[in-house]
Every structure is written in structure tokens, then in C-alpha cells.
Amino acid sequence: MLNVGTEFREGILFVRLRGHLNKDTIEKMNKRVTRVVKDNGIRNIVFNFSNLKSIDMKGINTIFYNYELCKRNDGRSLMCGNNNNIRKRLKRSRLINYIYEIPDELSAIRILNLR
């Protein structure tokens, strides 16, 4: 099961994920996030993984696809709230090399509004 919470604030789409992001739940992510990013030309996105229990390669690919969409829109993608299990998975997939890791959502507002 996956719960996807979103909030658009100060030009940034905050995505708060709770549960499991995997092959069985990515459609919910695509409906709630990817479609919004595509349809509205969202430039900046912050993924909050603090309540994410697990992620598989399909989930990682979905996060990466959203990163690419924002990059095409001349924006950035950030992530926060990585627990040890999620961080290990992201490191193995090398996603952590593309999406900048920050301590919390407040840091994202400062970083993205400095550009």
C-alpha cells in the first residue's frame, strides 16, 4: 500500500510518500505526481521519504523519471527523510548521484529559492 501526499508551495511540489513504492503501487504515484509534473510543467520537486517503508527498482525508476521531467523543465529534484534501508537502496541504484539529499523540507525551500 502507498499513500501519496502532495503540496505545492513556493514553486515547489512536495511529495510525501508513506508505505511501499513498488511495482504494485507505482500507478498511484504516476497518477498523483508524474501526471501533475507533466501536465503543469513543474520545475522543482522534493520527495520526502521519512515514512517510506520500502522501494524497489520500479519505484526508483519512477522517482528518476520525475527527476528527468523536472530537469527538462529547467528545475531540480531533491529528497529528504531517507532512512537507512531507503538510503542503501538508493545508493545501490545510483539514484542518489542524481537527486540531491537534504536534511528536511525547510532546507529545500532555502536551496531552491536561492537559484
Side-chain angles (χ1 to χ4, degrees):
M1 187 173 141
L2 178 69
N3 183 341
V4 181
T6 59
E7 177 183 359
F8 191 74
R9 184 178 57 190
E10 298 192 40
I12 304 166
L13 179 63
F14 291 90
V15 178
R16 298 173 186 109
L17 301 173
R18 176 184 303 272
H20 306 276
L21 181 58
N22 57 38
K23 65 180 174 66
D24 299 323
T25 61
I26 59 168
E27 189 54 39
K28 189 170 194 175
M29 171 81 166
N30 289 335
K31 284 181 183 173
R32 292 288 315 266
V33 179
T34 307
R35 194 164 294 145
V36 171
V37 172
K38 271 183 173 178
D39 293 348
N40 298 292
I42 301 290
R43 292 183 57 223
N44 298 307
I45 191 167
V46 175
F47 294 100
N48 187 328
F49 296 139
S50 34
N51 293 308
L52 192 64
K53 305 265 188 256
S54 67
I55 189 168
D56 69 2
M57 276 313 293
K58 293 279 190 185
I60 288 170
N61 288 339
T62 299
I63 298 292
F64 186 73
Y65 182 64
N66 281 280
Y67 154 80
E68 287 181 323
L69 290 173
C70 289
K71 187 176 176 185
R72 277 188 233 146
N73 293 334
D74 196 32
R76 294 179 68 187
S77 298
L78 306 174
M79 62 183 160
C80 66
N82 294 341
N83 64 46
N84 284 335
N85 290 337
I86 300 299
R87 183 176 287 112
K88 285 178 191 174
R89 191 82 168 130
L90 296 176
K91 274 185 142 179
R92 275 187 298 212
S93 73
R94 297 175 46 192
L95 182 66
I96 213 155
N97 296 340
Y98 297 95
I99 300 178
Y100 187 66
E101 187 174 9
I102 55 171
D104 52 38
E105 290 182 3
L106 186 57
S107 299
I109 293 170
R110 282 183 288 210
I111 289 168
L112 292 172
N113 287 329
L114 288 176
R115 288 182 17 123

